[in-house]
Amino acid sequence: MAESIAYYEFEDSDFDSLLHMSQKLWTGFDEDALKELLIKTSKSNNQKIWIARAYGKRAGFSIFSIRTDYVEGAEKTPTGYLEGIFVEQEFRKLGIAKEFVQLGEKWCKERGCRQIGSDTWLTDTKSRDFHKKVGFWEEDELVHFLKDIK
């Protein structure tokens, strides 16, 4: 089955599918803001989007970036960063996400990175389990606070 899955760099013709899958990953994100972010990401030299195609359908995507700002726990910069990864339900458990991570590692390493960071919500146990399964470790837990000033 794996031989029926192809991985390639994002092309403009993938945009509508990328947007649709991104809305499933980042629920509640404003559609116009997400479109703008994806357009910016697709044109960036410091970010890479991969698409997986399985049996004629777009099956998933991943987005990696090169960060030069502080990444929690990283030993040095630049640091690769897994910004997002998504596989359609019908194509899960086929190794697509694992292949995306390997593609991202190679791309980040070619750009001078020795580590890759990522993040997810504290309560997203599926994402946390996935990260651990593909070799990430939990660096820290952080709770953000906000207060209105009157």
Side-chain angles (χ1 to χ4, degrees):
M1 195 157 188
E3 56 273 352
S4 298
I5 303 170
Y7 302 87
Y8 61 95
E9 294 180 21
F10 170 84
E11 300 169 353
D12 288 340
S13 61
D14 297 313
F15 189 81
D16 289 342
S17 293
L18 176 64
L19 177 61
H20 181 71
M21 290 185 286
S22 295
Q23 289 172 310
K24 292 179 183 180
L25 178 61
W26 294 302
T27 59
F29 207 97
D30 177 73
E31 183 175 344
D32 289 335
L34 187 55
K35 280 181 185 178
E36 187 176 317
L37 180 63
L38 292 172
I39 289 168
K40 183 179 175 185
T41 299
S42 70
K43 297 186 182 321
S44 172
N45 291 328
N46 285 330
Q47 295 182 294
K48 181 66 73 177
I49 305 171
W50 278 278
I51 303 290
R53 183 180 284 275
Y55 306 101
K57 295 181 180 179
R58 289 175 186 91
F61 75 92
S62 65
I63 301 174
F64 284 83
S65 67
I66 306 298
R67 292 192 178 185
T68 54
D69 56 336
Y70 178 71
V71 172
E72 190 71 38
E75 295 170 0
K76 65 176 231 167
T77 62
T79 306
Y81 210 83
L82 172 57
E83 302 289 351
I85 191 165
F86 177 82
V87 178
E88 292 283 6
Q89 187 69 39
E90 67 187 285
F91 299 109
R92 293 184 184 166
K93 305 291 184 197
L94 300 177
I96 293 173
K98 184 178 179 183
E99 181 67 23
F100 278 146
V101 171
Q102 291 172 350
L103 288 167
E105 287 175 1
K106 182 176 185 267
W107 183 77
C108 291
K109 189 174 183 178
E110 289 169 352
R111 280 147 190 80
C113 300
R114 293 180 36 203
Q115 292 180 304
I116 295 178
S118 187
D119 60 64
T120 192
W121 298 110
L122 185 64
T123 57
D124 191 346
T125 55
K126 286 183 181 180
S127 179
R128 291 173 76 171
D129 290 345
F130 163 76
H131 280 82
K132 292 175 192 173
K133 185 177 178 183
V134 297
F136 287 88
W137 66 85
E138 290 188 10
E139 182 61 32
D140 203 356
E141 291 183 358
L142 179 66
V143 177
H144 297 268
F145 293 93
L146 191 62
K147 180 182 180 199
D148 289 330
I149 301 172
K150 297 178 182 187

